[in-house]
C-alpha cells in the first residue's frame, strides 16, 4: 500500500499549462484504467476532477485533462487560472485494498 | 441534492474509542460503495476503509486493520466507522465519500464523486 508518487509542487503563469505526474506500479496505475484526480482548496473537501483516467464529471472545465502511460498517470491544466491554485491528488484502484492515493501536488499560479 | 454529513469526532485519549457517522441523502444509499478517507494536519489524503453497497465486503488500510471497523445501515442511510485502540497518529480530519458507481455492481471502487465536510478526530492525553 505505498502511496503513488507525485511532485511536491508545480507552478505556472495564468494562461500557461501545467502537468502533474502520478507514478505507481503495475499493481495500481499500470494495472487498471481507474485513475481519478481530486482538487482540494485550503479548508475544503476534495473535489473529483477526473475519473477513469481521462473522463470529466459534469461541471469540470475542459481545460482539465487526464492521461496515462504505463505506470504513470498525468493531469494537465491548460489555460491556468487563479482559481486553479490548490492541492491535487491522484488516486488509483488497486484491487484489494481498493484505493491508493498519491502524495499530493501543490499548484501555484504565479 | 446529494449530501454527506459526518459527525462523531472529538478529543480522545490514546487507547480510547470513537464512532464516526456519515448521514447520506439525495441518492440511493444502498446502491453505492462508500469509503472513509482521512487527512492529518498539513498532510495528504490517506484512504482508510471502504464498504460495498450491501455491506458484505469491507476493506481496510494496513495501518488501521484490526482497530477500525466500517459498517453501514442502509435503512438509515448511514455509514459508520468504529475507531478503537486509537493512537496519536490517527489524529486527522475524517471524510466519508461516495463511490461514483457505474460498474454494474455496488462493489466497485473507481472514484469518489461526493465528499462530506469531514469530522475531526484528535488523539491526545
Amino acid at each position: 500500500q505505498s502511496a503513488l508518487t507525485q511532485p511536491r509542487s508545480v507552478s505556472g503563469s495564468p494562461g500557461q499549462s501545467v502537468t502533474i505526474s502520478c507514478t505507481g506500479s503495475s499493481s495500481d496505475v499500470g494495472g487498471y484504467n481507474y485513475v481519478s484526480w481530486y482538487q482540494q482548496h485550503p479548508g475544503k473537501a476534495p473535489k473529483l476532477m477526473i475519473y477513469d483516467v481521462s473522463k470529466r464529471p459534469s461541471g469540470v472545465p475542459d481545460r482539465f485533462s487526464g492521461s496515462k502511460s504505463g505506470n504513470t498517470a498525468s493531469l494537465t491544466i491548460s489555460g491556468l487560472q487563479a482559481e486553479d491554485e490548490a492541492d491535487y491528488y491522484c488516486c488509483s484502484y488497486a484491487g484489494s485494498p481498493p484505493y491508493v492515493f498519491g502524495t499530493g501536488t501543490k499548484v501555484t499560479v504565479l | 441534492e446529494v449530501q454527506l454529513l459526518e459527525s462523531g469526532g472529538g478529543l480522545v485519549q490514546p487507547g480510547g474509542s470513537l464512532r464516526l457517522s456519515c448521514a447520506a441523502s439525495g441518492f440511493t444509499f444502498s446502491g453505492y460503495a462508500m469509503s472513509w478517507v482521512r487527512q492529518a494536519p498539513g498532510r495528504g489524503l490517506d484512504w482508510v476503509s471502504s464498504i460495498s453497497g450491501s455491506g458484505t465486503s469491507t476493506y481496510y488500510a494496513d495501518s488501521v486493520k484490526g482497530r477500525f471497523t466500517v459498517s453501514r445501515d442502509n435503512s438509515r442511510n448511514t455509514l459508520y466507522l468504529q475507531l478503537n485502540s486509537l493512537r496519536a497518529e490517527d489524529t486527522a480530519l475524517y471524510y466519508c465519500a461516495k463511490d461514483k458507481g457505474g460498474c454494474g455492481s455496488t462493489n466497485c471502487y473507481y472514484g469518489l464523486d461526493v465528499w462530506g465536510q469531514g469530522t475531526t478526530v484528535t488523539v491526545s492525553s
Side-chain angles (χ1 to χ4, degrees):
Chain A
Q1 296 182 0
S2 298
L4 308 176
T5 300
Q6 298 180 233
R8 186 176 297 271
S9 64
V10 299
S11 62
S13 300
Q16 289 187 329
S17 295
V18 295
T19 297
I20 303 168
S21 61
C22 168
T23 301
S25 70
S26 58
S27 298
D28 38 63
V29 175
Y32 308 94
N33 288 321
Y34 298 118
V35 175
S36 50
W37 289 89
Y38 302 86
Q39 176 191 65
Q40 187 180 36
H41 287 109
K44 300 295 188 182
K47 175 186 176 183
L48 178 65
M49 303 301 283
I50 295 286
Y51 67 95
D52 293 357
V53 175
S54 60
K55 298 177 181 177
R56 280 188 310 277
S58 174
V60 172
D62 61 5
R63 52 203 179 76
F64 289 87
S65 62
S67 62
K68 191 187 85 166
S69 177
N71 295 337
T72 298
S74 299
L75 174 72
T76 297
I77 310 173
S78 305
L80 199 61
Q81 298 185 5
E83 59 261 36
D84 300 332
E85 184 162 297
D87 294 325
Y88 291 82
Y89 296 90
C90 62
C91 179
S92 177
Y93 177 71
S96 181
Y99 282 126
V100 58
F101 278 94
T103 50
T105 299
K106 180 175 179 60
V107 171
T108 301
V109 181
L110 301 173
Chain B
E1 181 187 6
V2 177
Q3 281 192 324
L4 299 172
L5 183 61
E6 303 94 335
S7 61
L11 174 63
V12 61
Q13 292 187 341
S17 297
L18 279 175
R19 189 175 83 155
L20 307 183
S21 299
C22 171
S25 60
F27 65 101
T28 305
F29 183 66
S30 61
Y32 296 89
M34 298 290 294
S35 295
W36 288 96
V37 178
R38 68 185 179 183
Q39 187 168 34
R43 305 294 295 273
L45 301 177
D46 181 31
W47 172 79
V48 174
S49 180
S50 296
I51 185 169
S52 63
S54 64
T56 55
S57 298
T58 58
Y59 307 89
Y60 299 94
D62 286 346
S63 58
V64 307
K65 199 173 296 182
R67 300 188 299 122
F68 291 8
T69 302
V70 64
S71 62
R72 63 193 298 160
D73 184 339
N74 286 343
S75 68
R76 296 178 181 268
N77 291 345
T78 303
L79 173 72
Y80 302 100
L81 186 67
Q82 178 68 40
L83 290 66
N84 295 332
S85 302
L86 282 162
R87 307 166 179 169
E89 55 264 35
D90 296 318
T91 294
L93 181 62
Y94 284 73
Y95 294 102
C96 70
K98 167 189 167 292
D99 193 271
K100 70 172 188 62
C103 72
S105 160
T106 67
N107 196 29
C108 57
Y109 306 91
Y110 300 152
L112 301 166
D113 64 348
V114 181
W115 296 64
Q117 288 305 303
T119 187
T120 299
V121 173
T122 303
V123 184
S124 175
S125 55

